[in-house]
Amino acid sequence: MSSTYAYAFALSLASTLMVAIIIFRAGDGTLSVTPAAEFDGDEASILREIDPFAP
């Protein structure tokens, strides 16, 4: 997934589900998006966390 698409998808998920969303780089170099509560990977792979409740 491209960087632009990953950020747009993450923003959409965060605002729809009202949960924190993590954008991370997978082992093969691709970008992925998942709810923060479900992320159990390496913290060094996290590119951004989008929190819908952040000021």
Side-chain angles (χ1 to χ4, degrees):
M1 156 176 336
S2 72
S3 176
T4 303
Y5 185 69
Y7 280 90
F9 185 53
L11 286 170
S12 176
L13 274 179
S15 63
T16 301
L17 300 176
M18 296 305 289
V19 296
I21 300 293
I22 298 286
I23 302 172
F24 65 97
R25 188 168 305 278
D28 62 357
T30 60
L31 297 179
S32 295
V33 176
T34 189
E38 295 181 14
F39 183 74
D40 60 353
D42 183 17
E43 289 189 19
S45 66
I46 295 174
L47 299 177
R48 173 117 192 246
E49 181 175 355
I50 298 174
D51 186 358
F53 300 107

